[in-house]
Amino acid sequence: MDNETPKITQAMIDAYDEYTHLTLDRRRFMEKLTQLAGSGAAAAAIAPLIGASSAMAEIIPANDERLTTEDVTYPGANGVTMKGYLVKPKNASGTRGGVLVIHENRGLNAHIKDVARRMALEGFNALAVDFLSPQGGTPADEEQARQMFSSLKPEEVSANGEASRAYLAGISGANGKVGAIGFCWGGGAVNNLAVKSPSLNAGVAYYGAQPKAEDVPAIKAPLMLHYGGLDERINAGIPAFKAALEKGGKTFEIFVYDGANHAFNNDTSSARYDKAAADLAWSRSVAFFKKNLA
């Protein structure tokens, strides 16, 4: 391709989304991408641009002097030991709210740890939870991690989310208020945690699957919901969720970012990342947490 950046079409991004969230395995995805790209060589060049690059995961250095970081374990539900990555602002005075950072269906990886550091720099205690803890934790192989999610039960995820909330609410430097922010799989986990946890103080879901309409009345926390305008699969659930939230008199905001794809916040995926949408959604999310977790 003569050193030119290969052209990535929406159909290619949609194929990747299907592969990661629905039915395709890696081999079938590459076959479909080859058809779309015109050759195996082109497909091989395009695939890394659509997927996530661990080399791009660290925006805030792990040893940033403004932060303290720690790998922690704490009691989960039903005797499970949960693992997490805890980040606090260093030399912060007084107490502060906490934010659970919930990963995509790749588990607790370098990118999500970086998001936790970004949140801590906004003045919160941030806990990036490893929801694969019941299976030993997130493996280095992201394909293996993705497959592990199929065995997670939603009720157990919510129970371990509530245990994580309780842990973060009680650590040193906490004011007792906890919100949650999640992306993709983690966005759905935030929505479900809001259903199951009356003690959650705020929820921010990025392109997350919506809960059943009949479960919405149980939600107590105010919600902020971010969606990519091109994300037809997830966006199909917005109308019913919005109607149920309105019917229940819930406090919520919905933002749809025109021209943005699913995973538009993930800056390790150059093809899907949308800086303008990501920056705006982040600023809105931080302001939302500062309002509800003070």
Side-chain angles (χ1 to χ4, degrees), residues 140-170:
D141 183 344
E142 74 167 26
E143 287 303 307
Q144 181 184 352
R146 182 178 68 87
Q147 294 166 10
M148 291 166 68
F149 277 84
S150 63
S151 64
L152 290 178
K153 298 179 180 179
E155 61 272 19
E156 294 175 353
V157 171
S158 294
N160 284 323
E162 171 58 16
S164 300
R165 183 210 61 79
Y167 167 76
L168 187 56

Side-chain angles (χ1 to χ4, degrees), residues 191 205-210 225-229 231 234-235 237-238 241 254-258 260-261 264:
N191 288 331
Y206 280 69
Y207 28 85
Q210 300 85 1
L225 309 170
H226 300 296
Y227 299 100
D231 190 4
I234 290 295
N235 293 357
I238 294 176
F241 192 22
I254 294 177
F255 298 103
V256 179
Y257 300 85
D258 290 343
N261 274 291
F264 67 78

Side-chain angles (χ1 to χ4, degrees), residues 24 36-37 46 55 70 77 86 103-104 118 141 182 185 189 210 227 238 249 252 254 257 266 291:
L24 290 182
L36 293 169
I46 289 169
E70 181 184 4
L86 178 63
H103 49 66
E104 301 171 323
R118 299 176 208 178
D141 183 344
W185 181 90
Q210 300 85 1
Y227 299 100
I238 294 176
F252 70 98
I254 294 177
Y257 300 85
N266 191 334
K291 174 183 177 181

Side-chain angles (χ1 to χ4, degrees), residues 62 103 177 193 263:
H103 49 66
K177 293 184 178 181
L193 181 60

Side-chain angles (χ1 to χ4, degrees), residues 9-235:
T9 66
Q10 188 61 42
M12 295 173 184
I13 293 174
D14 291 344
Y16 183 82
D17 186 59
E18 182 182 357
Y19 150 58
T20 53
H21 299 101
L22 297 174
T23 59
L24 290 182
D25 57 27
R26 178 75 181 181
R27 179 182 61 80
R28 292 175 62 196
F29 164 65
M30 290 305 297
E31 288 175 352
K32 190 167 186 176
L33 186 59
T34 297
Q35 293 174 351
L36 293 169
S39 72
I46 289 169
L49 299 177
I50 304 177
S53 169
S54 59
M56 299 169 62
E58 190 172 274
I59 304 300
I60 306 299
N63 62 352
D64 191 296
E65 294 183 353
R66 296 169 292 176
L67 303 170
T68 62
T69 64
E70 181 184 4
D71 293 318
V72 297
T73 59
Y74 52 92
N78 303 315
V80 168
T81 296
M82 294 296 292
K83 301 177 181 181
Y85 177 73
L86 178 63
V87 192
K88 297 181 181 181
K90 187 182 289 185
N91 302 323
S93 59
T95 58
R96 65 210 71 90
V99 177
L100 299 176
V101 181
I102 306 182
H103 49 66
E104 301 171 323
N105 68 342
R106 290 298 189 269
L108 179 51
N109 57 19
H111 167 63
I112 293 299
K113 289 182 177 181
D114 191 72
V115 173
R117 292 193 292 270
R118 299 176 208 178
M119 188 59 70
L121 285 179
E122 301 289 355
F124 303 98
N125 298 323
L127 176 64
V129 182
D130 188 346
F131 280 91
L132 292 178
S133 294
Q135 301 176 59
T138 298
D141 183 344
E142 74 167 26
E143 287 303 307
Q144 181 184 352
R146 182 178 68 87
Q147 294 166 10
M148 291 166 68
F149 277 84
S150 63
S151 64
L152 290 178
K153 298 179 180 179
E155 61 272 19
E156 294 175 353
V157 171
S158 294
N160 284 323
E162 171 58 16
S164 300
R165 183 210 61 79
Y167 167 76
L168 187 56
I171 65 170
S172 173
N175 68 5
K177 293 184 178 181
V178 173
I181 185 170
F183 307 89
C184 184
W185 181 90
V190 168
N191 288 331
N192 290 330
L193 181 60
V195 169
K196 298 296 183 180
S197 174
S199 298
L200 186 70
N201 296 106
V204 175
Y206 280 69
Y207 28 85
Q210 300 85 1
K212 297 177 182 178
E214 57 265 32
D215 293 336
V216 169
I219 294 175
K220 303 296 183 185
L223 298 178
M224 178 173 283
L225 309 170
H226 300 296
Y227 299 100
L230 300 176
D231 190 4
E232 295 181 2
R233 177 178 60 87
I234 290 295
N235 293 357

